[in-house]
Amino acid sequence: MKQKIEELNKEFDENVAKVDSAEGLENLRLEYMGKKGKVALLMQDFKNVKDEAKKEIGMLVNALKNKIETKISEFKEKITDKLNEKEEFNAKPIDFSLPVSDGVGSLHPRTIILKEVEDVFVSMGFNVEDGYEIETEYNNFDAVNVPANHPARDMQDTFWLDNGELLKTHTSAAQNRILRKYGPHCKVIFPGRCFRNESLDAGHENTFFQMEGIVVSENVSVSNLIYFMKEMLKGVFKKDIEVRLRPGFFPFTEPSFELDASCAFCGGKGCPSCGGSGWIELCPCGMIHPNVLRNAGIDPEKYTGFAFGLGADRLVMLKTGLNDIRHLNSGNVKLLKQFKTKI
Ligand code: DAH
């Protein structure tokens, strides 16, 4: 009896694998589970099993019965789904040229803001470039003067790839390539996705956007940096916004600054958006370090430049009032769509 059950088990597995239609499945069901099916016959044999073996054999028969039932109902669902899909497809062929009836999709708030910022810079004569997401260690660190022992190169901060390359940790990684492309007269912004091996919270994401900008020429100074940042803010917030510089430290700039903008919501009086201070930390920036220019073949004795690294997601949060950076990568369409009209 045990052997019979085993054989039936195997045989069913083979047969069910061959089924490819609703009709075939129904035939299989009748063959095994019908009134005079193979399982019913097995039950008849079961009557003759000796009492002491009844428990063990009974369990085997039940297991087989359950398995057959489950498999058949699983297959039924699959086949019905497939048939329904086919029927739906045949019933109403899709006309891809028809306009969408129930509202249209919307751009991601980050896309909208980046475009706005880009438009302002383009109107001031900047070119827009793309960076790469996978970068060399040289471009991400060495070329922008980050020392070999800098903690940012650590596994804890950087996603390293097996081949020694990395996911770029900042848009500054494209500086060298862009400086080489444009040479000593360069006015470029380059937005891009960056990656850091961070623990996540409302203010930190492992994947985020920056918008980097560099201007190099003869006699470029800090006042040019301030001018362009103020113009950008005016374009984005549609009003004059004051800025202030605080000292900062970055290997790629000397001197380095933190640029704050006077709070666009309260005009500098102090409100929840600016934590009551009247100022919002907007972007790190500075005068490009001579080593960075030199690494790109530009003579720092003749040319100077400034650079800034705008936290694009931060700007999006400021403009939308979103209080958790993680929403931006959440793919939560319902949530993100709300900001379409607010921006
Ligand atoms: N790359 C820096 C970061 O991600 C940001 C930055 C600071 C960029 C100063 C710059 C700059 O261009 O001048 O933290």
Side-chain angles (χ1 to χ4, degrees):
M1 180 89 180
K2 247 187 183 175
Q3 202 187 341
K4 216 174 187 177
I5 298 174
E6 227 168 77
E7 277 168 16
L8 216 55
N9 224 325
K10 242 198 207 156
E11 181 199 291
F12 174 78
D13 283 344
E14 281 166 17
N15 286 340
V16 79
K18 287 184 215 148
V19 172
D20 61 357
S21 68
E23 203 185 351
L25 186 70
E26 179 57 11
N27 287 340
L28 190 78
R29 192 187 67 79
L30 289 172
E31 185 182 341
Y32 286 86
M33 301 302 288
K35 262 190 189 158
K36 289 182 185 158
K38 290 181 172 168
V39 174
L41 290 177
L42 204 64
M43 295 304 262
Q44 273 179 13
D45 288 353
F46 182 66
K47 285 180 197 146
N48 307 326
V49 173
K50 288 190 195 113
D51 278 354
E52 57 269 32
K54 267 210 157 85
K55 191 173 167 199
E56 188 195 358
I57 303 285
M59 272 160 62
L60 290 174
V61 175
N62 264 339
L64 176 68
K65 212 173 126 189
N66 287 342
K67 173 180 140 173
I68 294 179
E69 275 171 355
T70 324
K71 272 265 155 82
I72 286 184
S73 69
E74 272 175 19
F75 255 75
K76 206 174 204 161
E77 262 176 44
K78 257 195 219 162
I79 285 178
T80 329
D81 281 355
K82 254 195 202 161
L83 285 176
N84 283 348
E85 267 173 34
K86 218 174 173 180
E87 261 171 33
E88 258 175 46
F89 189 74
N90 289 337
K92 42 174 174 112
I94 301 164
D95 179 352
F96 292 104
S97 65
L98 282 176
V100 188
S101 55
D102 55 345
V104 284
S106 58
L107 293 174
H108 192 286
R110 181 197 282 132
T111 311
I112 299 173
I113 299 254
L114 280 177
K115 179 81 175 58
E116 263 182 27
V117 180
E118 266 178 48
D119 284 351
V120 182
F121 278 114
V122 167
S123 76
M124 297 190 285
F126 281 71
N127 280 349
V128 185
E129 287 280 344
D130 271 338
Y132 300 158
E133 290 185 353
I134 294 178
E135 267 294 1
T136 58
E137 180 175 11
Y138 178 79
N139 277 340
N140 198 81
F141 294 124
D142 302 87
V144 284
N145 203 36
V146 179
N149 58 355
H150 196 281
R153 299 199 189 211
D154 225 59
M155 294 289 281
Q156 264 93 34
D157 288 295
T158 301
F159 290 112
W160 288 92
L161 305 181
D162 288 345
N163 65 359
E165 294 186 329
L166 47 83
L167 299 184
K168 78 162 183 278
T169 62
H170 52 181
T171 38
S172 311
Q175 279 197 14
N176 187 264
R177 197 178 292 114
I178 287 167
L179 285 170
R180 283 183 180 281
K181 176 172 170 185
Y182 286 82
H185 299 285
C186 172
K187 212 167 149 197
V188 182
I189 50 164
F190 33 111
R193 188 184 272 119
C194 305
F195 308 87
R196 277 189 212 165
N197 199 353
E198 300 251 28
S199 356
L200 309 188
D201 60 33
H204 295 90
E205 246 292 11
N206 53 26
T207 307
F208 53 94
F209 275 71
Q210 292 185 336
M211 160 96 66
E212 186 106 355
I214 45 178
V215 172
V216 179
S217 194
E218 281 143 10
N219 302 320
V220 172
S221 67
V222 177
S223 49
N224 298 130
L225 165 67
I226 295 174
Y227 167 79
F228 282 118
M229 295 318 282
K230 279 176 93 165
E231 284 301 301
M232 182 276 286
L233 288 167
K234 189 155 103 184
V236 173
F237 287 94
K238 316 280 183 256
K239 58 179 169 188
D240 280 323
I241 295 204
E242 275 311 308
V243 297
R244 71 174 183 190
L245 293 180
R246 287 177 291 117
F249 175 77
F250 303 100
F252 11 91
T253 40
E254 181 54 40
S256 304
F257 309 106
E258 292 287 351
L259 186 136
D260 298 338
S262 93
C263 178
F265 299 103
C266 62
K269 288 192 199 84
C271 70
S273 293
C274 57
S277 72
W279 293 96
I280 288 181
E281 214 179 296
L282 190 70
C283 88
C285 52
M287 297 305 293
I288 301 179
H289 195 290
N291 287 348
V292 176
L293 293 175
R294 217 173 275 127
N295 287 339
I298 296 173
D299 182 357
E301 301 294 328
K302 263 173 110 176
Y303 302 100
T304 51
F306 68 76
F308 60 86
L310 197 64
D313 289 348
R314 203 175 149 63
L315 195 64
V316 176
M317 288 165 75
L318 273 178
K319 264 210 99 177
T320 56
L322 261 178
N323 57 5
D324 192 324
I325 190 171
R326 290 167 294 188
H327 291 315
L328 294 177
N329 290 346
S330 68
N332 183 342
V333 176
K334 260 194 195 154
L335 181 135
L336 296 171
K337 238 182 165 172
Q338 297 170 39
F339 299 102
K340 178 172 73 161
T341 48
K342 267 203 184 173
I343 293 171

